[in-house]
Amino acid sequence: MKNLILSLLAISTLWACSQGSNKEGESETEESKEVNVYTHRHYESDQQLFKEFEEKTGIKVNVVSANADELIQKMTLEGENSPADVLITVDAGRLHRAKEADLLQSVESETLNNTISANLRDVDNQWFGLTIRGRVIVYNPEKISAEKISTYESLANPDINGRLLIRSSSNIYNQSLMASIIAHNGEEAATEWANGMVKNMARDPKGGDRDQIKAVYAGEGDVAVSNTYYLGKMLNSSSEEEVKVAQAVKILFPNQDGRGTHINVSGAGVAKYAPNKENAVKFIEFLVSEEAQKVFAGVNYEYPVNEKVEWAPTLKEWGDFKRDTLNLSVLGENNDLAVKIFDRAGWK
């Protein structure tokens, strides 16, 4: 808790320094030519888009960057005095967490409703998906066949014992995957799956998705779970070693004969006490425009929510795939139960 408070104080100090004090007599119009963005995303694509939005609209984008939990806690502490206009974070589970904390507000936007599929946005229009990423299986084709690992459920089978690499249960991506399994298969089956996954782990969970892929290459296990964009970034990395690792493994989109591959989003919502609500809506609408979605897809290897936008070449090479159409709000609703199941299974 002490570290979190110190982090929040540091964030607040950075915010104050970036803003400075308003000059007495500054006009209301001048004050409103800005949008204050609290973001968990840390990608080059986002910085590029913030600059393009400023050039296109004349609205200055003020950015506070931190992890999602810190930003949610910061907004909670700030209350009605929060300068935040927009919250951007990754994973529908976190967006739901912000909604449940009463930090977001509903907005009406034909642009957002017409551009973003209903399952990729909040049922009350409090948050909207900006990019899509699939949670897929990455494997060593010389050690294991695709037929053995065609579904998420198959990863818990006894013949995968000692061969599975996956990150911690504290990771929101895994929590949302579990939440989707609960939604489709029920709590009992989800519990059995978690128990089987723990038994099959090649090592205790550690590191991020890239680390799981690298561990497959290093022979620590034969199969891993990762978000698509991590492998996309590795394949297009400036590091020859990362490219070598990524080229040596294969990607598999699970459950193609059933519900489809689990997907998630990074997304944005308008803050409950947004001082610049109109600018906030314009900003999110810009991020789902064709020009912005091309940047997300081309720079960060994420799938666009705007269906008019072409995929990056790397994603095209992987081919089209059947997606789970579960409304992503359910991922947040099932999060608490997902964490409890992980804890009962001893998933570290």
Side-chain angles (χ1 to χ4, degrees):
M1 178 60 72
K2 181 179 178 182
N3 289 339
L4 177 58
I5 292 172
L6 290 172
S7 296
L8 292 172
L9 288 172
I11 294 168
S12 297
T13 301
L14 287 171
W15 175 262
C17 291
S18 69
Q19 297 304 289
S21 56
N22 287 333
K23 295 179 182 178
E24 190 174 349
E26 187 175 25
S27 73
E28 186 176 333
T29 301
E30 289 171 335
E31 289 180 350
S32 69
K33 294 293 286 184
E34 64 180 7
V35 62
N36 303 319
V37 179
Y38 283 20
T39 181
H40 180 184
R41 286 175 57 98
H42 49 82
Y43 308 120
E44 179 185 337
S45 59
D46 297 47
Q47 302 307 314
Q48 180 179 333
L49 289 172
F50 296 167
K51 183 177 180 181
E52 288 182 14
F53 178 76
E54 288 181 333
E55 293 172 349
K56 185 181 181 72
T57 65
I59 297 170
K60 187 176 187 302
V61 180
N62 303 312
V63 179
V64 168
S65 297
N67 72 46
D69 291 335
E70 289 175 340
L71 293 173
I72 288 171
Q73 182 68 6
K74 177 173 169 59
M75 291 173 70
T76 301
L77 292 173
E78 290 169 341
E80 295 182 23
N81 297 317
S82 177
D85 293 310
V86 176
L87 173 67
I88 299 177
T89 187
V90 294
D91 199 280
R94 285 196 180 106
L95 291 161
H96 180 82
R97 192 176 298 168
K99 177 185 177 181
E100 288 295 291
D102 199 25
L103 298 177
L104 305 177
Q105 62 173 294
S106 298
V107 299
E108 291 302 323
S109 166
E110 287 188 15
T111 298
L112 295 176
N113 289 342
N114 291 337
T115 303
I116 306 168
S117 298
N119 67 309
L120 304 179
R121 49 186 162 88
D122 177 55
V123 293
D124 299 314
N125 282 353
Q126 290 200 20
W127 57 260
F128 301 87
L130 300 177
T131 64
I132 300 169
R133 55 275 297 270
R135 194 129 185 87
V136 295
I137 293 171
V138 177
Y139 66 102
N140 182 341
E142 296 182 1
K143 297 289 185 65
I144 194 166
S145 67
E147 289 74 24
K148 279 186 177 291
I149 50 173
S150 62
T151 66
Y152 297 110
E153 289 80 3
S154 66
L155 297 180
N157 291 342
D159 57 358
I160 310 298
N161 185 262
R163 307 171 78 179
L164 175 66
L165 296 154
I166 191 166
R167 62 200 291 180
S168 167
S169 65
S170 64
N171 173 250
I172 191 69
Y173 304 147
N174 283 342
Q175 291 174 9
S176 288
L177 174 59
M178 171 59 85
S180 74
I181 290 174
I182 294 168
H184 287 294
N185 300 340
E187 181 178 353
E188 183 177 346
T191 299
E192 291 178 5
W193 181 76
N195 290 331
M197 293 286 282
V198 171
K199 289 179 182 177
N200 287 346
M201 290 180 187
R203 65 179 186 189
D204 286 344
K206 63 178 180 179
D209 284 4
R210 279 190 180 94
D211 296 305
Q212 314 313 313
I213 297 169
K214 291 174 181 178
V216 169
Y217 177 77
E220 294 181 48
D222 300 332
V223 57
V225 178
S226 172
N227 280 353
T228 44
Y229 70 96
Y230 286 111
L231 186 59
K233 290 176 80 70
M234 289 178 72
L235 284 167
N236 294 277
S237 174
S238 59
S239 164
E240 290 184 8
E241 184 61 26
E242 279 208 336
V243 174
K244 179 181 176 182
V245 169
Q247 289 178 339
V249 299
K250 282 197 172 183
I251 185 171
L252 184 150
F253 293 90
N255 296 77
Q256 291 302 285
D257 293 331
R259 64 182 178 272
T261 296
H262 167 68
I263 60 169
N264 211 318
V265 293
S266 62
V270 176
K272 182 176 182 180
Y273 301 109
N276 305 294
K277 179 179 178 180
E278 185 177 339
N279 293 346
V281 174
K282 286 180 182 177
F283 178 71
I284 298 174
E285 288 177 340
F286 169 75
L287 293 179
V288 301
S289 67
E290 289 186 50
E291 60 181 301
Q293 290 281 296
K294 287 176 183 176
V295 174
F296 281 135
V299 177
N300 210 44
Y301 308 100
E302 297 177 275
Y303 293 95
V305 295
N306 189 326
E307 295 181 357
K308 295 180 180 178
V309 176
E310 284 191 31
W311 297 358
T314 297
L315 306 186
K316 287 182 180 180
E317 289 174 10
W318 292 341
D320 201 359
F321 65 99
K322 182 179 180 181
R323 305 176 188 179
D324 187 350
T325 58
L326 183 73
N327 190 293
L328 297 190
S329 295
V330 174
L331 305 184
E333 294 165 6
N334 287 347
N335 182 268
D336 287 346
L337 180 55
V339 172
K340 289 176 183 175
I341 290 174
F342 279 143
D343 288 344
R344 292 199 297 259
W347 189 321
K348 295 181 181 179

